[in-house]
Amino acid sequence: MMTTTKNSKRKNQPNGVDINQFPKLGTAIDEAVASGLLNGVEGAKSLTHMVMKRFVEAALQGEMQAHLGGIPSRATEGGGQEAEEVTGTRSQGNKRNGVGRKTINTDVGPVEINVPRDRQGTFSPILLPKHARQFSGFDDKIIAMYARGMSTRDISAFLEEQYGIGVSAEYVSTVTDRVLEDVEAWQSRPLNSMYPVVFFDAMRVKIRSGMVVKPMAVHIALGIASDGSRDVLGMWIAENEGASFWASVFNNLKTRGVEDILIAVTDGLKGMTEALEVVFPRTEHQTCIVHLIRSSTAFISHRDRKAVCDGLKPVYQATDAVEAERALEVFAESPMGKRYPAVAETWRRAWAQVIPFFRFPPAIRRLIYTTNSIEGLNRAVRKVIKTRTLFPNEEAAKKLIYLAIRNFTEGWKRPTIRWSNAMPEFALLYGERFTAAAE
């Protein structure tokens, strides 16, 4: 059972709240555990109620202190608050006037709280306005902080520093685990029957597996629908990629309703061509030209990079595959091509996935020339996970990456750029495969 004790004063807290005026939540939890109050489901509910009560009361005390112009208070027996002058004077003669009790409805059920009052009755809380009985979203606030890259320990420290709430990192982790249900629902939701273009890309993260830390690939699929809208179709984590892995990915898309993909754009992902031939045999497998340029020029001198890129332009700007192959040979025999023979060799190795590009009209070429859409998504994800040197398990990686994807894609309201020009070209090139799904 929670008890109220007198505490020493602590000044200059970040939000002006003397957190020592409240019993530490960790102490209260220890007492509750010792007395057997936190056993089982009811015990977990009791813990959640304590966290919610302490958060709301501490936040309201902070608002009251700001309202009074920096006058802290000390706890008195019975839960009341007495004003105590420190530096300066009271704000226009106003001061604290004890607390009032109020029951609010929260995500975890009704919670009774102490609401601070002032003598002049001018205090109007922002967190919980007068006469309001509904307070929800505490867990959502924790999840929102987690989604922006704060670790469970960071969130725990923030709540302790700002509100004097001793919430453990384990509790924060339990709250964020709610996201796993959303991840599962998102990963299994129904999809469109046809996607004109699907971009596939991967990023590397480190995940602990037992006593070993393994580099794992997080594969993300971004689809463009027949109306030009964008949607992240899913994410898959694997240690190794290959034909069997990609076959499982494509079969997952099929079971969720995808019957046809017109063009799959990738960045040299191993085994994808073989898997597409089995699961989606009519799909064109196209390598990302920009990625190919980057990978082929990654190990050349910076001063020569512009000259090499200029020499490659006739290759990917060719009107057909024959002209492109001739342009590649011309580059290979040029001074830059002879100085860096690996550049032409890189293009030759990927040639089977390059040549589909030349059968597309200019409007579609501009759409699939680069994977900018999925690269922008990946940058947003990396911004969130950059503080994580490693994840304790796959579930932790999934929930954080999912939250980053959800936050980034909220602004995807309009069709993708250049879609209005590409759509009639898709209809002309693919006929009923495109138009039947677009109707």
Side-chain angles (χ1 to χ4, degrees):
M1 183 174 178
M2 295 181 63
T3 59
T4 303
T5 61
K6 292 186 178 181
N7 295 283
S8 61
K9 292 176 289 182
R10 181 180 298 177
K11 302 175 185 178
N12 299 323
Q13 291 297 321
N15 68 339
V17 180
D18 179 5
I19 63 175
N20 279 342
Q21 65 184 297
F22 307 109
K24 289 291 186 181
L25 183 61
T27 302
I29 292 173
D30 291 340
E31 293 175 359
V33 170
S35 62
L37 293 178
L38 294 186
N39 293 330
V41 175
E42 292 303 318
K45 289 182 179 179
S46 178
L47 170 61
T48 308
H49 275 72
M50 278 192 284
V51 172
M52 182 72 74
K53 175 181 174 66
R54 194 61 58 200
F55 171 78
V56 175
E57 289 182 349
L60 291 176
Q61 291 291 347
E63 287 194 43
M64 173 61 82
Q65 188 157 315
H67 176 67
L68 295 178
I71 305 173
S73 63
R74 57 184 177 86
T76 61
E77 294 184 5
Q81 301 290 331
E82 290 184 0
E84 186 176 89
E85 278 193 273
V86 282
T87 59
T89 58
R90 294 181 179 90
S91 176
Q92 299 179 348
N94 198 10
K95 62 180 182 178
R96 293 176 183 269
N97 188 30
V99 297
R101 300 189 185 279
K102 183 177 185 179
T103 300
I104 58 174
N105 298 316
T106 72
D107 295 336
V108 296
V111 175
E112 187 178 88
I113 62 170
N114 294 324
V115 181
R117 298 180 302 195
D118 63 331
R119 288 287 177 89
Q120 296 178 357
T122 56
F123 176 55
S124 180
I126 298 174
L127 180 72
L128 191 66
K130 287 184 177 181
H131 311 299
R133 294 282 178 178
Q134 193 71 29
F135 180 83
S136 60
F138 177 71
D139 287 359
D140 291 338
K141 290 175 177 60
I142 291 179
I143 292 172
M145 288 188 284
Y146 187 80
R148 278 158 178 77
M150 294 179 67
S151 68
T152 55
R153 295 186 184 279
D154 291 337
I155 296 171
S156 176
F158 174 81
L159 293 174
E160 171 73 26
E161 182 178 275
Q162 294 294 313
Y163 302 110
I165 308 174
V167 178
S168 68
E170 289 73 19
Y171 176 84
V172 175
S173 179
T174 301
V175 171
T176 58
D177 279 346
R178 280 178 34 198
V179 176
L180 291 173
E181 298 178 4
D182 296 337
V183 174
E184 185 176 350
W186 174 75
Q187 190 72 23
S188 59
R189 73 194 190 282
L191 300 174
N192 295 348
S193 60
M194 186 277 297
Y195 288 91
V197 183
V198 178
F199 297 98
F200 294 90
D201 204 359
M203 67 182 70
R204 292 282 174 178
V205 297
K206 292 182 179 179
I207 298 177
R208 186 182 297 280
S209 178
M211 300 297 292
V212 181
V213 176
K214 297 181 179 180
M216 307 283 277
V218 180
H219 299 274
I220 298 176
L222 168 62
I224 298 180
S226 56
D227 61 356
S229 60
R230 294 168 291 174
D231 187 18
V232 179
L233 308 185
M235 65 174 170
W236 300 266
I237 299 178
E239 183 177 359
N240 299 304
E241 62 187 38
S244 60
F245 166 73
W246 284 113
S248 68
V249 170
F250 296 143
N251 282 318
N252 173 267
L253 295 177
K254 248 191 170 176
T255 58
R256 293 163 60 194
V258 180
E259 299 175 0
D260 195 9
I261 297 174
L262 303 185
I263 307 171
V265 183
T266 66
D267 176 26
L269 301 176
K270 297 178 181 178
M272 178 170 281
T273 301
E274 294 84 347
L276 279 172
E277 290 174 351
V278 174
V279 185
F280 294 109
R282 296 197 294 172
T283 299
E284 298 270 13
H285 184 194
Q286 172 66 51
T287 193
C288 172
I289 300 298
V290 169
H291 272 96
L292 187 56
I293 295 171
R294 290 174 184 168
S295 61
S296 62
T297 59
F299 301 103
I300 67 175
S301 172
H302 180 73
R303 65 180 182 180
D304 293 333
R305 188 163 297 172
K306 184 178 185 305
V308 171
C309 291
D310 289 341
L312 290 173
K313 280 184 180 180
V315 180
Y316 59 83
Q317 291 180 351
T319 56
D320 55 42
V322 175
E323 182 183 336
E325 189 170 6
R326 189 181 304 117
L328 183 61
E329 293 304 320
V330 170
F331 170 80
E333 295 300 321
S334 68
M336 283 296 163
K338 290 180 178 180
R339 181 179 297 181
Y340 302 105
V343 175
E345 189 58 34
T346 300
W347 281 72
R348 291 190 183 104
R349 285 197 301 268
W351 198 247
Q353 284 76 51
V354 174
I355 54 178
F357 184 77
F358 302 111
R359 66 181 293 265
F360 299 127
I364 296 180
R365 286 194 191 188
R366 284 191 290 270
L367 184 68
I368 66 174
Y369 169 76
T370 179
T371 54
N372 277 347
S373 294
I374 199 167
E375 284 184 350
L377 173 63
N378 285 347
R379 281 194 298 273
V381 172
R382 289 191 182 97
K383 183 178 179 181
V384 171
I385 68 174
K386 66 181 179 181
T387 57
R388 303 293 201 279
T389 54
L390 62 90
F391 290 94
N393 48 55
E394 285 192 22
E395 286 71 24
K398 283 181 178 178
K399 66 183 181 182
L400 184 55
I401 293 172
Y402 163 76
L403 289 171
I405 291 173
R406 188 185 68 179
N407 288 347
F408 183 77
T409 56
E410 282 181 348
W412 285 2
K413 305 297 183 184
R414 294 179 297 179
T416 187
I417 299 174
R418 305 187 183 95
W419 182 249
S420 59
N421 294 328
M423 185 167 61
E425 300 290 357
F426 273 106
L428 182 63
L429 189 61
Y430 290 97
E432 289 188 359
R433 287 180 64 189
F434 177 83
T435 57
E439 292 176 353

